[in-house]
């Protein structure tokens, strides 16, 4: 069973990571989430769950306004071929979330370490970063360095690259 948002927050607390979480109506797109601007400071994420032809999976996390060239990104992230979006079944199996709730925090559910995380360097210029806590009905604000601590605590090695145009 995938972890719940409460289990995620308890895990963060066990790491000594302080976060704030704001509940809100479900947000399915970046456009939906932009209605919260002014209420939640920091960098806001857009997440791309991608796979290559060899079933290697990638979670690419960028700033909400970033433009990513999906025809070329495979060269940057180490994919074996051009990438496509991963299917909802794989998203649930690997990250424990549904489309519309894709988040870097989903790595807590990837116990087999099948997903390679790519963080856009422009996003990492923010002191604080916002992401869904496994549900699109809330936004969790976390410090940039604390986010890296979380990722490493899940057993993943974050790859910080310039992937946005």
């Amino acid at each position: 069973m995938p972890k719940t948002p409460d289990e995620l927050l308890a895990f963060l607390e066990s790491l000594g990571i302080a976060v704030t979480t704001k509940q809100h109506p479900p947000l399915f797109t970046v456009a939906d989430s932009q209605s919260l601007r002014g209420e939640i400071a920091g960098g806001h994420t857009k997440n791309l769950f991608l796979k290559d032809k060899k079933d290697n999976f990638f979670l690419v996390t960028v700033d909400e306004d970033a433009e990513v060239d999906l025809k070329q990104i495979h060269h940057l992230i180490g994919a074996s071929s051009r990438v496509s979006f991963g299917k909802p079944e794989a998203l649930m199996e690997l990250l424990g979330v549904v489309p519309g709730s894709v988040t870097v925090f989903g790595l807590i559910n990837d116990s087999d370490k099948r997903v390679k995380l790519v963080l856009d360097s422009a996003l990492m210029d923010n002191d604080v970063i916002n992401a869904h806590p496994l549900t699109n009905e809330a936004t969790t604000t976390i410090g940039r360095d604390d986010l890296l601590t979380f990722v490493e605590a899940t057993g993943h090695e974050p790859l910080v690259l310039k992937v946005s145009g």
Side-chain angles (χ1 to χ4, degrees):
M1 287 293 296
K3 302 269 192 252
T4 66
D6 287 341
E7 290 171 317
L8 167 68
L9 296 174
F11 180 71
L12 292 168
E13 187 176 326
S14 77
L15 296 173
I17 295 174
V19 297
T20 57
T21 299
K22 178 174 178 52
Q23 304 295 319
H24 49 66
L27 304 172
F28 295 97
T29 65
V30 168
D32 289 347
S33 69
Q34 288 176 331
S35 66
L36 294 177
R37 290 314 161 264
E39 294 181 44
I40 302 176
H44 294 266
T45 56
K46 173 168 59 177
N47 296 276
L48 307 172
F49 180 65
L50 306 172
K51 70 175 274 310
D52 66 16
K53 295 210 183 317
K54 291 189 176 179
D55 284 336
N56 296 306
F57 291 90
F58 304 85
L59 177 61
V60 179
T61 301
V62 300
D63 186 81
E64 66 182 353
D65 295 324
E67 292 186 20
V68 177
D69 183 349
L70 290 176
K71 292 180 178 156
Q72 296 299 320
I73 193 170
H74 64 285
H75 295 296
L76 300 172
I77 64 175
S80 67
S81 63
R82 287 176 78 168
V83 295
S84 60
F85 288 103
K87 297 202 178 319
E89 299 80 20
L91 180 60
M92 177 53 77
E93 176 189 340
L94 298 173
L95 297 180
V97 296
V98 297
S101 296
V102 183
T103 173
V104 67
F105 291 126
L107 293 175
I108 195 172
N109 291 311
D110 182 28
S111 53
D112 292 334
K113 321 294 181 284
R114 291 194 49 209
V115 179
K116 179 178 180 178
L117 174 67
V118 179
L119 296 167
D120 187 37
S121 57
L123 174 69
M124 299 306 287
D125 286 342
N126 292 285
D127 292 332
V128 294
I129 295 171
N130 299 288
H132 291 311
L134 307 177
T135 173
N136 65 356
E137 296 179 345
T139 297
T140 295
T141 303
I142 187 169
R144 173 194 53 235
D145 296 340
D146 288 337
L147 177 62
L148 293 173
T149 298
F150 161 78
V151 169
E152 290 167 0
T154 66
H156 292 81
E157 184 66 38
L159 185 59
V160 179
L161 294 173
K162 179 168 177 38
V163 294
S164 60

